[in-house]
């Protein structure tokens, strides 16, 4: 299957590195709220802590896009179908969750949900796509 929007497979490992670094840093930043000593790194101090959230967001977004939209080693019609099905599933799940939060969560907490919602379509897509690939590989064996 010829697809024009997928990057070469060589970017996948770099994408996983950025994505996991961003996710782990984001979790640590959330857990250590107010204790930014954990990120006392010279480069980050030079920019100031107010950019730390943006750096982590960029890592997650770029890493997630690289992981989600790089070719597999064998890119065939089955993988194309898995990718499309996973993308549709992730978008539907994301908007169902967003709809529920619009109805039941208000004010500042809703703003927090919207911040996390920047990343959830990519995260849902990556989880679903890799789950389906793993499941298809185990079914073949």
């Amino acid at each position: 299957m010829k697809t024009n929007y997928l990057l070469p497979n060589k970017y996948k490992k770099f994408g996983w590195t950025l994505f996991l670094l961003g996710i782990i840093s984001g979790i640590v930043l959330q857990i250590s709220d107010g204790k930014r000593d954990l990120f006392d790194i010279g480069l980050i101090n030079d920019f100031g802590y107010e950019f730390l959230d943006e750096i982590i967001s960029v890592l997650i977004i770029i890493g997630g896009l690289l992981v989600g939209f790089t070719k597999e080693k064998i890119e065939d019609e089955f993988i194309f179908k898995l990718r499309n099905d996973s993308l549709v599933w992730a978008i539907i799940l994301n908007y169902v969750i967003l709809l529920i939060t619009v109805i039941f969560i208000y004010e500042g907490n809703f703003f927090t949900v919207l911040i996390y919602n920047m990343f959830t379509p990519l995260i849902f897509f990556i989880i679903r796509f890799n789950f389906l690939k793993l499941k298809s590989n185990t079914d073949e064996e």
Side-chain angles (χ1 to χ4, degrees), residues 94-95 97-98 101 112-122 124:
N94 184 64
Y95 279 99
I97 292 172
L98 186 60
T101 58
T112 304
V113 169
L114 289 180
I115 291 172
Y116 289 118
N117 193 255
M118 291 189 310
F119 312 111
T120 50
L122 261 176
F124 292 156

Side-chain angles (χ1 to χ4, degrees), residues 18 22 52-64 119:
L18 292 180
L52 188 57
D53 298 346
E54 285 77 12
I55 292 170
I56 291 171
S57 297
V58 167
L59 289 175
I60 293 171
I61 292 170
I62 291 176
F119 312 111

